[in-house]
Amino acid sequence: MTDPDTPVFPVVILISGRGSNLQAIIDAVGRRELPIDIRAVISNRPQAAGLQRASRAGIATTIVDHTRHANRQAFDQALQVCIDRHQPRLVILAGFMRLLSNDFVAHYRGRMLNIHPSLLPDFPGLNTHQRALDAGCEVHGASVHFVTADMDGGPVVLQARVPVEARDTATSLAARILKQEHRLYPVAIRWFAEGRLTVNDNGQVLIDGVNLNAPLQLPVPAEEAV
Ligand code: GRF
């Protein structure tokens, strides 16, 4: 029997590690706040803890181990075949730690999102929290963006801003920002699944058909900001 409430928007989620953002997405689906069907979770690392999170939630998991492919192109092709088997309308990168080839990115243009722990365009790449501290930033945060061939460089949709405290270390800042990542990502994914969030060929993000001139900011509850 078909449950009329069953979400039908198919997505595939790619991970490499811990999977806390994956968990936030699974939990939002469980609370019926996110109308998506997670068809599969794919990891490039066999030991990724996120695989267990997916299994616990009854989601199919697959490993496409990058070390077993001769080069990036071969890995990306294998990954693409694995993803497309599930016919997702959105591919969600949730801590997926691989650079992606241009062909792969082009194949999912306009339907692949990533979350990054900085206020992009500041601090693309790794070690964002330490770099924000070293740069003396007073505000730091997280961003959800469409994926393009530029690493962490695609059009930004939604951000959360967190004040940096004098006592902050990279670890304390990371923890505070991760909490906001877990709020941000389900919101942006929901907009996409509802057809409210799109990006055009010029890289212009639209929400409800209106051009976004700057990333939207998700308000951070005062008790979570410090
Ligand atoms: C997050 O900080 C995310 O922004 C970045 O990688 C980390 C993944 O963490 N892209 P998790 O695996 O979701 O816990």
Side-chain angles (χ1 to χ4, degrees), residues 63 82 87 95 112 139-140 181 197-198 206 224:
I63 295 160
C82 187
Q87 300 188 302
M112 183 154 62
V139 180
H140 184 39
E181 293 187 36
L197 167 63
T198 54
L206 295 100
E224 291 181 14

Side-chain angles (χ1 to χ4, degrees), residues 26-188:
I26 291 172
D27 292 347
V29 172
R31 292 193 304 269
R32 297 187 164 242
E33 291 171 9
L34 194 47
I36 59 172
D37 180 12
I38 307 173
R39 291 274 166 89
V41 169
I42 303 174
S43 172
N44 66 308
R45 294 209 179 111
Q47 305 307 331
L51 288 168
Q52 268 102 61
R53 298 179 188 266
S55 297
R56 270 202 301 275
I59 300 166
T61 60
T62 309
I63 295 160
V64 184
D65 185 343
H66 64 280
T67 65
R68 291 176 176 262
H69 292 83
N71 52 41
R72 186 178 308 286
Q73 199 192 358
F75 168 72
D76 282 5
Q77 277 170 3
L79 182 60
Q80 187 175 315
V81 167
C82 187
I83 294 171
D84 287 353
R85 208 171 280 150
H86 301 283
Q87 300 188 302
R89 293 175 64 188
L90 177 66
V91 175
I92 298 169
L93 307 187
F96 186 65
M97 305 301 282
R98 296 285 303 167
L99 292 176
L100 297 166
S101 59
N102 288 354
D103 286 350
F104 183 91
V105 170
H107 182 70
Y108 298 106
R109 189 166 70 169
R111 55 187 182 113
M112 183 154 62
L113 290 174
N114 183 40
I115 188 154
H116 182 77
S118 79
L119 295 173
L120 291 171
D122 292 345
F123 312 119
L126 299 174
N127 302 323
T128 57
H129 307 303
Q130 189 58 53
R131 286 158 65 204
L133 287 174
D134 293 347
C137 295
E138 292 180 355
V139 180
H140 184 39
S143 308
V144 176
H145 66 95
F146 281 100
V147 177
T148 64
D150 298 330
M151 186 194 57
D152 301 325
V156 181
V157 175
L158 185 63
Q159 295 181 319
R161 306 170 81 83
V162 169
V164 178
E165 304 292 322
R167 61 174 185 277
D168 264 324
T169 62
T171 307
S172 65
L173 201 47
R176 217 151 68 245
I177 285 171
L178 190 63
K179 206 180 263 187
Q180 298 312 312
E181 293 187 36
H182 298 162
R183 295 176 62 236
L184 273 188
Y185 219 1
V187 170

